[in-house]
Amino acid sequence: MNLALHNYSVSIHWTGNRGEGTASYRGYGRDHVVSADGLPDLPGTADPTFHGDRDRWNPEQLLLAALSQCHMLSYLHIAVKHGVVVSGYDDAAAGTLRLNRDGSGEFLEATLHPRVALADESQRELADSLHREANSVCFIARSVNFPVHHAPVTPEA
């Protein structure tokens, strides 16, 4: 078994056929279901700008969620390596997507705002510096072609 390779799979099922398929741009729904074996289904859609449902997840949100999750998991691992005891972690991720005249688009950047609570506040400077190292090992951040910035927020006492 090769420990260096990991394979992942998900299924997407479009549920937005309103009876006429894609006969017209406004005539079909963007709703779909994302699923993976053994996990709850995730209701998906397009961004509301593109006729999606505000009550479902869109791909842009899921990309930011993946970046934020991966950074947190990488950060927690790096913290252990450096002897920093993290007692809480929250993040508020934001990203900027540019639409192009030809209908394409791409993320220009993402910024994570991790709020890390520490067992020993005297380690704050070290703890904040660990975001760079975490970014360098985060699988998702290493896989995107736009910058992922980090703006740590110190929790209020």
Side-chain angles (χ1 to χ4, degrees):
M1 181 171 145
N2 185 344
L3 295 178
L5 298 178
H6 298 266
N7 298 300
Y8 301 90
S9 62
V10 297
S11 298
I12 305 294
H13 175 70
W14 177 49
T15 58
N17 186 345
R18 296 178 180 151
E20 296 184 22
T22 58
S24 69
Y25 180 70
R26 294 184 186 267
Y28 67 95
R30 277 58 174 179
D31 292 357
H32 56 276
V33 176
V34 181
S35 58
D37 288 344
L39 297 174
D41 288 345
L42 183 67
T45 192
D47 181 284
T49 302
F50 309 110
H51 308 287
D53 181 343
R54 291 188 186 283
D55 296 328
R56 299 170 81 98
W57 289 91
N58 67 55
E60 296 81 10
Q61 292 167 320
L62 294 172
L63 177 61
L64 283 175
L67 280 167
S68 181
Q69 282 179 278
C70 186
H71 182 78
M72 178 193 70
L73 295 168
S74 298
Y75 181 86
L76 296 174
H77 172 72
I78 297 301
V80 169
K81 286 177 51 176
H82 288 272
V84 173
V85 177
V86 174
S87 58
Y89 188 107
D90 296 291
D91 187 14
T96 302
L97 176 88
R98 177 182 61 208
L99 295 178
N100 300 318
R101 292 182 190 271
D102 65 2
S104 67
E106 63 266 340
F107 268 86
L108 298 177
E109 66 179 352
T111 303
L112 307 181
H113 298 93
R115 183 181 306 268
V116 178
L118 302 173
D120 179 359
E121 191 58 40
S122 72
Q123 292 185 304
R124 175 61 56 195
E125 188 174 336
L126 171 60
D128 286 350
S129 76
L130 297 180
H131 290 288
R132 271 188 302 283
E133 186 175 348
N135 188 64
S136 74
V137 298
C138 171
F139 309 148
I140 306 300
R142 291 174 56 89
S143 300
V144 298
N145 67 350
F146 55 85
V148 179
H149 307 288
H150 305 90
V153 178
T154 302
E156 295 179 20

